[in-house]
Amino acid sequence: MVLPVRRPEPARAALRARRLPRSFYARDALSVARDLLGKLLVHRGRGGTVAARIVEVEAYRGPEDRAAHTYGGRRTPRNEVMWEREARLYVYFVYGIHFCANVVAGGVGVPEAVLLRAAEPLAGLAIARDRRGPGARDEHLMRGPACLCKALGLDGAHNGADLLRGPLGLLDAPPVPDAEVGRGPRIGVDYAGDHAARPWRFWVSGSPAVSRPRPAPGAQVS
DNA sequence: AGGAAGATCCGCT
DNA sequence: GCGGATCTTCCTG
């Protein structure tokens, strides 16, 4: 009699990885953004755990970045978390409907962050589907910053959440090689003048979960 | 005190 | 491709 062979489940193995150390976050947002590609975002919430592989991010670089909430050194109740210690989550509300989540980079007084724009669902698919409702294909459950938050159950209550402890975490995973990294201008920041053209958006080429796989026509891609 | 715009998504045409 | 939904935040007067 042949025993049923339980093939090692890739997600389970991946979720055993350690959390990224604080030093990972204590760098400029561009480096953190690039290196976040391929890492795993995990939320152990009520109803179970949802995990995802990050495939699209954007760097927001503090006071000098016209597209950032902290442009010009503005410090407000909303963006307060960006000014504090790195390795926390900055969640804000947009368009009266959606939440977007950022990973705080830099350090105390260095208000930089990385917007999480898209991810590939890895575990907790049933929960993610339920949160998103009918209509979305699995590979699109977390395509776009607001969709990502919804599928992972992130909202304003998670603003300031520590990523080194507690139910929210970022786990280490193999780096995405340069050859597979796409780069281009950020989305939805046309108001930022010349800063809008800066190629501070990074994505994993070929991932079906990337929200906009191609850079805008004529955009500088470097 | 008021208003304008927003780091978006989805459905319809 | 376009626009509506929906409300917080911040700047101006």
Side-chain angles (χ1 to χ4, degrees):
Chain A
M1 150 166 195
V2 178
L3 292 173
V5 177
R6 181 178 290 271
R7 292 180 46 198
E9 198 180 328
R12 271 216 182 274
L15 290 177
R16 266 185 248 119
R18 57 162 197 170
R19 293 194 192 218
L20 294 170
R22 181 172 296 281
S23 57
F24 178 91
Y25 306 91
R27 300 178 290 154
D28 69 279
L30 272 179
S31 304
V32 176
R34 162 65 180 86
D35 294 344
L36 271 175
L37 292 178
K39 304 308 184 199
L40 309 184
L41 177 61
V42 182
H43 185 199
R44 303 179 195 279
R46 271 175 223 268
T49 296
V50 178
R53 177 173 178 256
I54 296 170
V55 295
E56 184 185 351
V57 295
E58 286 176 358
Y60 286 86
R61 297 208 61 192
E64 301 130 39
D65 179 3
R66 196 179 179 90
H69 289 166
T70 51
Y71 173 60
R74 277 194 345 254
R75 185 168 184 159
T76 67
R78 178 176 67 158
N79 68 28
E80 174 63 22
V81 173
M82 283 184 70
W83 290 90
E84 294 170 4
R85 205 173 184 196
E86 70 278 8
R88 302 210 297 168
L89 211 59
Y90 167 47
V91 182
Y92 68 92
F93 188 64
V94 279
Y95 297 113
I97 304 180
H98 302 299
F99 289 97
C100 295
N102 302 252
V103 171
V104 175
V108 175
V110 183
E112 305 197 359
V114 178
L115 173 67
L116 303 176
R117 283 197 57 91
E120 296 172 352
L122 192 66
L125 272 287
I127 302 169
R129 287 186 203 111
D130 188 52
R131 286 176 177 152
R132 287 296 316 280
R137 308 174 45 141
D138 282 354
E139 60 268 37
H140 294 171
L141 286 172
M142 304 168 181
R143 187 178 62 167
C147 294
L148 183 152
C149 279
K150 195 166 184 189
L152 279 151
L154 303 178
D155 60 28
H158 301 95
N159 187 40
D162 190 351
L163 292 170
L164 299 184
R165 280 189 83 85
L168 267 169
L170 278 168
L171 307 186
D172 201 3
V176 176
D178 283 342
E180 293 172 27
V181 174
R183 187 170 175 181
R186 294 169 292 184
I187 306 293
V189 297
D190 294 343
Y191 60 87
D194 55 319
H195 294 230
R198 298 182 180 188
W200 290 353
R201 170 174 173 249
F202 300 86
W203 67 90
V204 177
S205 299
S207 169
V210 170
S211 66
R212 317 223 185 152
R214 314 175 63 85
Q220 160 198 2
V221 177
S222 157

